[in-house]
Amino acid sequence: NAGVTQTPKFRILKIGQSMTLQCTQDMNHNYMYWYRQDPGMGLKLIYYSVGAGITDKGEVPNGYNVSRSTTEDFPLRLELAAPSQTSVYFCASIHRGGQSPNTEAFFGQGTRLTVV
Amino acid sequence: AQKVTQAQTEISVVEKEDVTLDCVYETRDTTYYLFWYKQPPSGELVFLIRRNSFDEQNEISGRYSWNFQKSTSSFNFTITASQVVDSAVYFCALSGGGKLIFGQGTELSVKP
């Protein structure tokens, strides 16, 4: 199992450009999350999903969009990138409910994004 | 609304000292989960423990121990006989409903 895979690992964007951060998990988890972590700060929840076709806003959703068309994939879209979106982005997944809920949330390795 | 507060931004100790990291949470959910994660300088997130809201037993794992008290909405983490390798940022997190919310983290520096 690959776990949670994020691509790309690094990216530099110019102001006003758009991009999609990819997140894929192969563990059949129902819950997935996107976070941003600014230097020296904690993880802020951007969006989350409790299953395919269902997404909801977290603490800091402005400037971002998500979709969850499959269980495996949870892409994060940045439209009109701004310097304030310079951050490290983490994707996470966990299986909740059912007969074998997870003990922990599994995290990807992160995407370091710089907007200049 | 859910909230996790880690009031200690930075802690510095000398090796072999014991250190406690505080975590206070707020939630209206009756069923929820609490987590601790470690983030070493390399940046990845390392899972340490999960506790269910209906299980207030304290837990010990080697030099690590956790004290969960629903009455004070706290889930504190103690490292006994700290080591330099314990230097990292530690996050407390709360999961209730669909969200998983993190505190702002405590940076622990263990000096030799």
Side-chain angles (χ1 to χ4, degrees):
Chain A
N1 285 348
V4 179
T5 302
Q6 289 183 236
T7 56
K9 288 185 171 51
F10 303 92
R11 183 73 185 268
I12 298 174
L13 275 183
K14 293 185 178 179
I15 295 171
Q17 287 185 322
S18 300
M19 77 164 293
T20 298
L21 280 66
Q22 301 292 344
C23 176
T24 298
Q25 52 93 5
D26 60 358
M27 298 172 282
N28 201 33
H29 288 172
N30 47 3
Y31 286 53
M32 295 187 75
Y33 305 89
W34 272 108
Y35 297 90
R36 60 176 288 171
Q37 185 178 27
D38 298 334
M41 304 294 285
L43 282 77
K44 291 292 187 183
L45 181 63
I46 305 171
Y47 271 95
Y48 67 101
S49 169
V50 301
I54 306 170
T55 62
D56 208 344
K57 295 178 181 179
E59 302 167 286
V60 290
N62 291 344
Y64 307 94
N65 278 299
V66 294
S67 60
R68 184 95 183 272
S69 56
T70 66
T71 299
E72 295 78 18
D73 300 311
F74 190 41
L76 178 71
R77 178 82 177 161
L78 278 72
E79 305 283 0
L80 298 174
S84 61
Q85 293 178 305
T86 294
S87 191
V88 178
Y89 292 83
F90 287 98
C91 179
S93 73
I94 190 170
H95 195 77
R96 301 283 296 275
Q99 294 184 336
S100 300
N102 288 137
T103 300
E104 64 177 287
F106 293 79
F107 282 82
Q109 292 299 302
T111 296
R112 188 174 296 274
L113 175 67
T114 303
V115 182
V116 297
Chain B
Q2 297 176 341
K3 187 177 181 181
V4 177
T5 301
Q6 296 179 254
Q8 305 149 308
T9 305
E10 298 178 9
I11 299 176
S12 182
V13 300
V14 177
E15 206 169 20
K16 297 184 182 176
E17 283 186 31
D18 299 346
V19 57
T20 295
L21 310 181
D22 297 332
C23 173
V24 175
Y25 64 92
E26 297 175 27
T27 181
R28 296 177 188 169
D29 294 309
T30 54
T31 300
Y32 52 89
Y33 300 90
L34 295 162
F35 300 80
W36 275 96
Y37 277 84
K38 174 182 180 180
Q39 188 176 44
S42 51
E44 74 273 21
L45 286 146
V46 179
F47 168 77
L48 296 177
I49 191 171
R50 186 194 81 167
R51 175 62 70 219
N52 301 332
S53 56
F54 43 86
D55 180 3
E56 286 194 72
Q57 279 190 344
N58 292 331
E59 182 155 341
I60 298 174
S61 176
R63 296 185 296 108
Y64 296 170
S65 62
W66 291 268
N67 181 268
F68 175 32
Q69 292 192 345
K70 284 182 75 171
S71 60
T72 56
S73 297
S74 65
F75 186 43
N76 297 336
F77 172 33
T78 297
I79 302 175
T80 302
S82 59
Q83 300 177 1
V84 172
V85 293
D86 296 326
S87 296
V89 180
Y90 291 86
F91 292 101
C92 180
L94 166 68
S95 178
K99 295 182 179 181
L100 175 59
I101 301 293
F102 282 75
Q104 51 270 63
T106 297
E107 183 173 4
L108 174 65
S109 176
V110 182
K111 300 187 186 309

